[in-house]
Amino acid sequence: MKSVQDPLTGLLARQSFVDAASHWLGSEKRPRQRLVIFEVFGLSIINETQGLALGDKVLQEVARWLTSKFDPARCVLGRWAGNKFVVLYEPCGTEAFPGEIHRASLGSLGLGSSLGRQADLTRLHVGFCDSASRQIDDLLTFASEALHASTRSTGAWGYRFDEAMHRRLLRRQDIEKDLACAIEAREIGLWYQPILSSDGSSLHSLEALLRWNHPRQGWTSPEEVVHAAAVMGMGETLLQHILQEVCHGLHALADADPRFEKVPVAMNVSPREIGDLPLSDIVSRTLLREGIAPRHLRIEITEESALDSLSSSGQLEALAAAGIAIAVDDFGTGYSSLAMLGDKYVKQIKIDRLLISEFHRSDRRMLLVDSIIHLGHALGMEVVGEGVETVEELEHLRLLGCPLVQGYYLARPTPLETLIAQVRHARMDWG
């Protein structure tokens, strides 16, 4: 069996890793084995701001570091993808290495010395599984599932594949299987949640939220649907479907009451959709075909996707130039993020609900929320306090001068027909 090395890192290339790991699994009877996937998070920023050569050096450093951690005679180590590494080995009984480095910055690991302060912003995510399975495909699937959970977590422990994850994996596979038919049948639809002035006197805009009641799995989250579409190679199909549904909603709103002409609708776009799809072209073509003015649509992106995918700025700038406002959802980092975002295309920031929740009971969170509100205003942005669930949260946002609010305390997401009826009977200004 001829092995092929990755030319950059000297580790086994992807297919050679699979071949070597399969041979390793079948060569000896071991009670268990561990497969770990490491992802270098933040590498895209290095590549785009400091050059591919420096990004390559980071990958080489990580590869050397991993090689120093494992005995080559007792493991199989490879480069799995652009920013991912994978290792298969037999762990010791008390060994906790993967968990200890979960979300660790390269700087804290003694890596990325040429990056300066950037080394502390570039970190490793870890997903791993311990299993008696002799099939490398199973181990890779299980570890990838754990890595997926790791990238969504703010915790400090590496994610190990367990029975709960196995149930989620089976759920995802069921969702993936039915996705195409659900899109075609328009079973994946939108509910709408208002954004209101903090005094409740006016309706500012609406947010369109993806909803799918799967016949066996029940209500699925937007993240589950987007992830399933990416796995199935249907990312563009899903994006076009959601955008088409937004257009149908805008037409229905205008037909129901001409005052809705003043109320824009926001749709959420995932980091994957921004990075992998011709977003600006798809949006522009669809709006033109549907006869909808760009000012009626807003695009919501997450703070992390905005900062970690500078290559997407061209698409977002093109959308902004066409008259489509860009909003940043789940905002919470503060000054540095606003400095990066504020001078380009962002017109609105939505303060992360984790900051808003009970923030009046924490002086530190109160200060951070107050800082975001005032700095957002200074940069000419709309500021929304989202996830408002209590009257105390609403009152304190109002006292801090937050002009716009959204959350369950004010209005829950509802189907379009229900929302139209609610707004018609509410005593408030529109737009």
Side-chain angles (χ1 to χ4, degrees), residues 186 190 239-249 286 289-290:
R186 293 184 65 186
L190 300 173
L239 175 63
Q240 290 177 330
H241 170 72
I242 294 171
L243 184 58
Q244 192 69 48
E245 291 295 303
V246 169
C247 291
H248 290 161
T286 304
R289 184 179 66 248
E290 294 294 323

Side-chain angles (χ1 to χ4, degrees), residues 4 78 119 132 167 196-197 214 239 297-298 359 395 411-412:
V4 176
R167 290 193 296 271
L196 306 170
S197 61
H214 189 276
L239 175 63
L297 179 68
R298 295 188 168 207
F359 79 107
E395 289 176 348
R412 290 176 176 266

Side-chain angles (χ1 to χ4, degrees), residues 10 37 64 72 82 93 117 122 152 163-164 183 205 242 263 285 296 324 352 354 358-359 372 379 394 403 413 418 431:
I37 299 179
R64 283 193 292 269
R117 294 180 63 185
T122 308
R152 297 164 51 202
E163 186 56 39
I183 292 175
S205 55
I242 294 171
V263 180
R285 287 198 308 267
H296 293 310
I324 298 169
D352 194 319
L354 294 177
E358 297 287 316
F359 79 107
I372 293 173
L379 293 171
L394 177 61
T418 305

Side-chain angles (χ1 to χ4, degrees), residues 141 152 176 255 290 321 419:
T141 298
R152 297 164 51 202
E176 291 163 10
D255 291 342
E290 294 294 323
L419 178 129

Side-chain angles (χ1 to χ4, degrees), residues 44-49 271-272 274-277 280 305-318 344-345:
S44 60
I45 295 180
I46 298 171
N47 288 334
E48 293 159 5
T49 61
R272 195 187 303 268
I274 297 173
D276 296 346
L277 303 177
S280 57
S305 70
L307 298 177
D308 193 47
S309 298
L310 297 181
S311 61
S312 67
S313 62
Q315 295 209 64
L316 298 174
E317 288 174 1
K344 291 190 176 181
Y345 41 77

Side-chain angles (χ1 to χ4, degrees), residues 197-199 356 359-360 366 369-371 373-374 377 388 391-405:
S197 61
S198 60
D199 62 3
I356 297 297
F359 79 107
H360 53 285
M366 180 82 81
V369 170
D370 184 47
S371 298
I373 292 170
H374 284 84
H377 288 166
V388 178
V391 65
E392 291 82 9
E393 291 167 359
L394 177 61
E395 289 176 348
H396 279 80
L397 284 170
R398 190 181 298 151
L399 288 172
L400 292 179
C402 185
L404 301 172
V405 288

